[in-house]
Amino acid sequence: GANGAIVVETKRGKDPETRITAQAVMGMNMKPGSIPMLDAAQSKRYLMDVYQSRGYSSSDIQKLPFINNERPVQQAWGYEGNPDFYRYNKSTDWQDELFVEGLKNNYSIGVTGGDDVAVYALSLGYLQNEGVVKGTDFNRFSARINTDITFSQKFMVQTNMNFVYGKKNLMQEGNATPLNPIYSSLVKSPFMSSYVYNEQDQLSPNYEDTDLFGMANPAAVTGSVQQENSNYGFTANIHVKYNIWKNLTLSTRFGLRLTKAKESIFHPGQGIPYDELPTALVTNEMQYHTERIFSLFDETRANYLFKFGPEHQLDATVGLRYATNKAEDDWTKAYNSSSDEFKSLQSGLDALRQMGGALGTWNWFSIYGNAAYSLKNRYFVNATLSTDASSRYGQNVGFFRLFPAVSAAWVLSSEKFMKELSWIDLLKIRAGYSVAGNDDIGNYTGSRYYTSQNLMGNYGLVRGNLVNLNLKPERVGKLNIGLDVALMNERLSLSADVYRSKVKDMLTYSSVTPFSGYSTYVDNGGEMRNIGVDVAVNARLLNTASLKWDLGITASHYKNKVTRLKGESYQTEIAGGTVLTEVGKPLGVFYGYRTNGVYSTETEAQTDGLNVRSGLKDLPFGAGDMRFVNMNGDEYIDEKDRTVIGDPNPDVYGGLNTRILWKNFTLSAQFTYSVGNDIYNYTRQTLEAMSGMENQTKAVMNRWRMDGQAASMPKATYGDPMQNSRFSDRWIEDGSFLKFKNLTLAYDVPIKKGIVTGLQVYAVAENLCTWTAYKGYDPESSISTSPLSYGIDSFTTPQARTFYVGLKLGL
C-alpha cells in the first residue's frame, strides 16, 4: 500500500484462566574457521623479499632484529648478540588468540490470565550472548505487559508497555584500522608475541607495544580497549475501540517511544598506534557518546463493515496518522590522560578536548482511506489512497504527497466450472499496483540552516548546507501479479509473484563546483527499474498417522537497472574499491581493472610496452608485475582502462526447509542459498597486496621471484609502485553459497492432566556449515546495509556456529 505504519501485534492474553510458560536455552557459540596465513618462517621469508625491494642488501637484511639469529649472551657490560631475539622468534596464531568460544543463554517466563472483564499477558526475558571475538558480549533484559479490558460490548481498551535494557561490549569491525581486532590479528607478524619477553626469554605480564612495523598488538586491542554500549528502550501505547452503531467502529491508538543509548570508549596507549593530532601526539583516547530519541504517534480511524445480502461485503476505513520525533546526539573526545589507568573524559588534556552534537526534529502526518470489497467471497478488490506530509520535504514542495494503491484477486477454485477438478483446493489469481514513499532524506536536507564556527577565537554562523528547496521523497511504483495454488487436500501448494517496480526521484549526491564550499549537492536526480519473480513451493511428501514429512523451497530472481541520473554516472569509493552507478547498468556494480596473469619474463613485459604514469615519469611494467588488460589500446594502464568487473546482485537466491514429524518428535532443517553474486574481498586485497609489512595469506607463497617463473601472484614490492594490488578482478570472487542455517530436534514429552500442561525439550544447531568457493570468512558478510556496499567484505565478524539445548514448560 501507500506510506503507512506497520502495527506489530505482540502476545496477548486470551484465556481468563491463569497460565504460566517458561523457557530456558543454554548453548555455545563456536570458534569460526581461520583464513590460512603465513606462519613465522614463511612471514620472515616474505618480509626479506619486501626489504630487498626497498634496496636492502643481504647483509643489511641479516642485521634486522627479526632476522638476526644471534642469541643474546649476557656479559659483564650487557648483552652480546641480538637483544630482541626472543621477542621476534615466537610462533603465534593470532586468529586462534582472537577467536573464542562463548556461552549463549536465554531465559524467559510469561504469565497470562484475568477474568471476564480484563485479561493480561506479562513476560520477562534475559539474554546472555558471548561473542566469538574475545572481549565482546551482549546482555539484554526485557519486560512486557499487555492488557485487554472490555468495559462493555461496545467499548474496549488495550494497553501495551515494553521495556528493554541492553549492554554490549563491542569491538570495531568493517575497516582496516588498528582498533579492529580482526584486522590487527590478520596483519600481525606471527613471529611476535602478545607479551614482552626479555633477553633471557622470560615472559612479563606487560603487553608488547606497537611493533617495529607500526602494527598494533591484537592482545592489547581485545584486552585493554573498552567500548561499552548501554541502551534503554521504553514503548507504551493505548488502543481504544468503540462500536458507535452496528458495524461502525471508531478507534484510536496513541503511544510513545523513548530510547537512549550511551557509549563509553577508551583506547589505551600501550600497543595501539595513533594518527597525530594537529597539535600533539596521541598517547591514549577517551570518547563518550549519548543519543536520545523521543517519539509520539497516534492513529485514529473509523471502520465500517457493510454487508449487502449474503454475497456482497464492503470493509471501509478512513483515518489519520501522526508522528513527531525529537532526537539529540552529543559526543566528546579527550586525549592523553597521564596514565592508561585514568579513563574518564576529565583525565584528558583540556587543550585537546573535542565535543559536538546535533538536535533533530521531524514530523509526519497522513490522511488515508481504504475500501475492501468482496463478491461471493470469490472476487476481491482493495483500494487505498494516502496523502502524506513530512517536515523533511523541501520548502518548495507541496505539503501533501499522494500515494495510491489498488489490488484485485479472483478465486477461480470457487467457480462452478472448477467443481469437477476436486484435486484443486485453491486457485487464486491476484494483481496489484501501489505507490510508496520514502522520506528518509535527512531532517534538514531540504531546508536552509546555519552552523556555528570558531575562527581565531571569534564565533559566528556559516551556511550549514547547500540547500535543495525542491527535495522530494523517493517514490516507488510497483506492479505485482501473483498466483496461489493448493492441490490434493493442500498437500502441495505453490505461490508465485512477478513484479516490476520503478523508483522515481531517487536521492543522488551530485558533484558541485569547489567554489561553492561544498563537495556534493543532494538532489532527486535518479530513477531505477527493478523486475523480479518470487516462487515458493511447499509439499507434504508423507502423511500417515505417525509419520509426516514436509518440504518447502523458495527461489527469487531480480534484475535492476539505473534508468536516469544527472551526470549519467557516479563513482563511489568504498574500502579501496570503486562502485559504479551508471545509466543502463545494475545498481552497485564493481568498476576496476581486468587482469590476464603475471608477466613471467622481462621480454613479455617489454613486448606489451605498457607503463604507469608516476608524476612526470613513465614506469614500465616488468617481470613479476600484473598483466592488466589495456582496454583503450594506448601505452598506459590508467583509469581509462577500467570497466565493470563484478556484480553483487545474485542470479537467484532463496531457501529450502524440511520438517519430519514422528510421534512426539519433530526434526526440522533450514538451508539458504545464493547463486551468481560477486563479492569484493577487500580483506584478501589487504592480505595479498604484498606491498608492505602486513602479514599475508599463504597464497602469496606462489608469488613471482625469478625471471621465467610462471606464478599466479605478482612479486612483492614495497609501496607497490606499479599498483599491482589496485582494485581489479583479482579481488572479485564468486559469492555463491549453500548454507546449512538451522537444524532442530524437538520432543514433546507426554503429559498427564495436572499442573504441568506442556513440556518440550529441543536441541538446535545454527550455521552448521557453508558450501562455497569464497575465500573469506563468510560469503554473507557485508560492510554496511547501504545498497552501494552490498557484496563488500572488509574485516567483518563471521556468523558463529552455535549449538544449544532448550526447554519449554507450560503450567
Side-chain angles (χ1 to χ4, degrees):
N3 264 8
I6 297 176
V7 178
V8 178
E9 295 291 346
T10 57
K11 186 175 180 180
R12 314 192 64 84
K14 296 180 180 179
D15 191 340
E17 182 180 354
T18 300
R19 297 185 181 276
I20 300 174
T21 58
Q23 180 172 339
V25 172
M26 293 171 287
M28 184 76 71
N29 297 317
M30 311 304 293
K31 276 188 177 184
S34 297
I35 295 175
M37 303 297 294
L38 297 178
D39 62 25
Q42 295 162 350
S43 177
K44 287 186 178 182
R45 285 194 290 270
Y46 158 73
L47 289 171
M48 290 172 68
D49 285 355
V50 174
Y51 273 94
Q52 188 176 17
S53 73
R54 298 178 65 181
Y56 279 61
S57 65
S58 296
S59 59
D60 293 334
I61 292 175
Q62 291 302 318
K63 295 176 183 177
L64 294 171
F66 61 93
I67 298 296
N68 186 346
N69 284 324
E70 295 184 30
R71 297 176 184 268
V73 178
Q74 190 171 13
Q75 304 291 347
W77 46 266
Y79 284 92
E80 182 181 10
N82 181 8
D84 293 322
F85 176 84
Y86 293 112
R87 296 181 67 187
Y88 298 130
N89 280 277
K90 302 303 177 184
S91 180
T92 304
D93 184 339
W94 291 108
Q95 292 178 89
D96 187 60
E97 296 282 324
L98 172 69
F99 293 123
V100 295
E101 296 177 346
L103 295 175
K104 178 177 182 178
N105 297 312
N106 193 357
Y107 308 99
S108 63
I109 185 170
V111 181
T112 61
D115 54 30
D116 294 338
V117 175
V119 292
Y120 65 90
L122 171 66
S123 64
L124 299 173
Y126 174 72
L127 169 68
Q128 177 196 24
N129 194 14
E130 296 177 349
V132 295
V133 173
K134 186 180 296 184
T136 62
D137 59 50
F138 173 52
N139 293 273
R140 183 186 67 206
F141 171 79
S142 60
R144 173 181 290 126
I145 183 169
N146 302 325
T147 64
D148 289 9
I149 305 173
T150 304
F151 291 95
S152 68
Q153 291 184 344
K154 291 188 174 185
F155 185 43
M156 188 178 80
V157 175
Q158 294 178 330
T159 64
N160 307 272
M161 285 188 292
N162 182 39
F163 174 77
V164 176
Y165 168 72
K167 183 178 179 180
K168 306 175 187 176
N169 286 300
L170 305 173
M171 293 290 173
Q172 289 189 18
E173 64 174 359
N175 49 20
T177 67
L179 289 166
N180 180 346
I182 295 179
Y183 169 80
S184 295
S185 296
L186 290 171
V187 302
K188 184 73 170 180
S189 296
F191 50 78
M192 299 183 186
S193 173
S194 302
Y195 298 92
V196 175
Y197 282 83
N198 65 10
E199 295 85 350
Q200 298 178 359
D201 199 21
Q202 295 173 334
L203 176 65
S204 84
N206 299 321
Y207 284 130
E208 276 279 10
D209 204 351
T210 305
D211 63 30
L212 75 166
F213 304 130
M215 306 296 173
N217 181 352
V221 175
T222 58
S224 296
V225 169
Q226 296 181 9
Q227 189 161 330
E228 182 181 288
N229 178 285
S230 300
N231 59 83
Y232 312 80
F234 177 73
T235 304
N237 66 76
I238 181 170
H239 187 196
V240 180
K241 294 197 296 185
Y242 185 73
N243 183 242
I244 299 176
W245 175 73
K246 291 185 178 180
N247 294 327
L248 178 61
T249 302
L250 181 66
S251 65
T252 185
R253 183 191 297 268
F254 175 79
L256 61 88
R257 180 172 67 96
L258 174 64
T259 61
K260 181 179 180 180
K262 298 188 300 181
E263 190 169 51
S264 179
I265 299 173
F266 175 74
H267 299 153
Q270 190 74 10
I272 310 290
Y274 291 99
D275 294 330
E276 295 181 9
L277 293 174
T279 59
L281 296 175
V282 177
T283 58
N284 56 30
E285 179 181 4
M286 293 73 71
Q287 298 181 23
Y288 191 81
H289 179 213
T290 304
E291 183 181 72
R292 302 175 184 86
I293 299 177
F294 179 73
S295 303
L296 293 174
F297 60 90
D298 178 77
E299 179 179 9
T300 300
R301 63 181 182 175
N303 174 260
Y304 185 69
L305 181 63
F306 186 71
K307 294 183 178 181
F308 305 81
E311 296 183 345
H312 302 269
Q313 180 173 296
L314 177 65
D315 190 348
T317 302
V318 293
L320 57 88
R321 302 185 182 103
Y322 173 75
T324 180
N325 308 271
K326 293 183 178 181
E328 180 180 350
D329 183 86
D330 301 295
W331 60 267
T332 304
K333 292 182 179 180
Y335 300 90
N336 297 1
S337 67
S338 58
S339 166
D340 284 351
E341 299 299 319
F342 297 97
K343 304 176 182 180
S344 59
L345 291 172
Q346 64 266 27
S347 301
L349 297 180
D350 293 340
L352 302 180
R353 189 170 291 119
Q354 304 172 11
M355 61 185 65
L359 297 173
T361 301
W362 68 102
N363 302 309
W364 177 78
F365 180 74
S366 174
I367 302 174
Y368 68 93
N370 171 262
Y373 171 75
S374 66
L375 173 62
K376 300 180 180 179
N377 205 27
R378 189 182 311 166
Y379 312 101
F380 302 89
V381 178
N382 190 300
T384 301
L385 180 64
S386 177
T387 60
D388 296 3
S390 173
S391 62
R392 290 172 164 174
Y393 299 167
Q395 295 178 3
N396 293 342
V397 175
F399 192 65
F400 282 99
R401 312 293 293 178
L402 293 177
F403 298 99
V406 62
S407 62
W410 178 20
V411 184
L412 282 81
S413 53
S414 296
E415 298 289 352
K416 292 182 180 180
F417 60 80
M418 296 290 291
K419 296 300 182 183
E420 298 293 329
L421 304 175
S422 58
W423 51 278
I424 298 179
D425 304 307
L426 174 67
L427 179 58
K428 182 179 181 180
I429 299 174
R430 46 191 168 74
Y433 179 78
S434 64
V435 178
N438 173 24
D439 73 340
D440 190 13
I441 56 181
N443 294 337
Y444 306 112
T445 309
S447 303
R448 184 178 291 109
Y449 66 89
Y450 295 83
T451 60
S452 63
Q453 186 166 312
N454 177 10
L455 179 62
M456 300 179 66
N458 298 307
Y459 288 87
L461 295 178
V462 297
R463 285 280 295 272
N465 66 335
L466 193 60
V467 65
N468 181 358
L469 299 178
N470 297 309
L471 197 64
K472 296 175 287 187
E474 294 180 335
R475 295 173 65 87
V476 182
K478 183 176 182 180
L479 174 65
N480 185 90
I481 299 175
L483 174 70
D484 298 319
V485 181
L487 309 174
M488 298 179 292
N489 292 324
E490 299 187 359
R491 288 189 61 178
L492 177 64
S493 62
L494 166 71
S495 180
D497 288 270
V498 178
Y499 61 88
R500 177 188 177 99
S501 64
K502 185 173 183 179
V503 182
K504 301 182 66 176
D505 299 325
M506 190 168 65
L507 290 184
T508 58
Y509 291 81
S510 305
S511 299
V512 294
T513 173
F515 294 109
S516 67
Y518 300 91
S519 59
T520 57
Y521 174 73
V522 183
D523 196 13
N524 297 108
E527 293 184 2
M528 184 175 68
R529 188 188 68 204
N530 193 25
I531 57 175
V533 58
D534 299 321
V535 179
V537 179
N538 292 282
R540 172 151 288 186
L541 303 180
L542 293 176
N543 191 27
T544 66
S546 61
L547 180 63
K548 295 176 175 59
W549 181 17
D550 297 329
L551 181 66
I553 186 169
T554 63
S556 298
H557 166 77
Y558 70 87
K559 287 290 184 183
N560 61 50
K561 183 169 71 174
V562 178
T563 57
R564 185 178 74 87
L565 279 177
K566 284 189 177 180
E568 295 303 310
S569 69
Y570 295 102
Q571 295 177 21
T572 307
E573 303 298 319
I574 303 176
T578 303
V579 176
L580 178 68
T581 306
E582 184 175 270
V583 173
K585 291 183 172 57
L587 184 69
V589 294
F590 303 128
Y591 187 63
Y593 298 84
R594 294 197 180 278
T595 60
N596 187 23
V598 177
Y599 290 116
S600 62
T601 66
E602 194 69 27
T603 303
E604 283 183 7
Q606 291 176 355
T607 300
D608 282 357
L610 297 175
N611 303 274
V612 168
R613 192 71 171 172
S614 177
L616 299 177
K617 295 173 56 179
D618 289 346
L619 303 179
F621 283 90
D625 287 322
M626 289 301 303
R627 187 198 300 264
F628 292 99
V629 177
N630 188 14
M631 301 295 293
N632 65 350
D634 63 7
E635 63 183 34
Y636 294 100
I637 296 297
D638 54 24
E639 61 182 14
K640 298 176 184 176
D641 296 304
R642 292 183 298 174
T643 185
V644 174
I645 57 175
D647 184 351
N649 300 290
D651 295 329
V652 62
Y653 66 96
L656 183 147
N657 60 82
T658 185
R659 184 180 64 163
I660 297 175
L661 297 95
W662 179 67
K663 296 183 178 179
N664 289 354
F665 289 94
T666 301
L667 177 66
S668 62
Q670 180 184 4
F671 297 82
T672 58
Y673 67 88
S674 180
V675 178
N677 57 297
D678 293 321
I679 297 177
Y680 164 39
N681 192 341
Y682 174 64
T683 302
R684 189 165 67 84
Q685 182 191 33
T686 304
L687 301 178
E688 295 179 8
M690 295 184 291
S691 60
M693 306 305 174
E694 298 87 356
N695 196 30
Q696 306 284 283
T697 72
K698 287 186 179 294
V700 306
M701 295 173 66
N702 299 318
R703 65 187 179 275
W704 185 94
R705 302 188 73 179
M706 65 180 68
D707 197 71
Q709 176 186 355
S712 59
M713 290 276 182
K715 59 189 175 184
T717 310
Y718 183 77
D720 196 13
M722 304 307 297
Q723 304 171 45
N724 289 320
S725 64
R726 71 182 75 192
F727 183 54
S728 70
D729 55 11
R730 288 180 64 193
W731 318 120
I732 306 301
E733 300 184 34
D734 180 9
S736 303
F737 69 87
L738 172 64
K739 178 170 286 190
F740 198 162
K741 199 72 175 178
N742 181 282
L743 178 65
T744 301
L745 176 63
Y747 177 68
D748 292 302
V749 180
I751 298 295
K752 295 182 180 180
K753 287 187 176 181
I755 297 178
V756 178
T757 59
L759 177 62
Q760 183 188 72
V761 293
Y762 57 93
V764 180
E766 294 178 345
N767 300 312
L768 269 173
C769 57
T770 303
W771 294 273
T772 182
Y774 181 61
K775 298 176 183 177
Y777 284 126
D778 190 341
E780 289 189 288
S781 296
S782 188
I783 195 171
S784 78
T785 58
S786 166
L788 295 181
S789 300
Y790 181 65
I792 299 178
D793 184 4
S794 174
F795 299 99
T796 51
T797 305
Q799 297 184 60
R801 190 158 44 100
T802 304
F803 299 92
Y804 57 89
V805 295
L807 179 146
K808 294 180 181 178
L809 175 66
L811 301 175

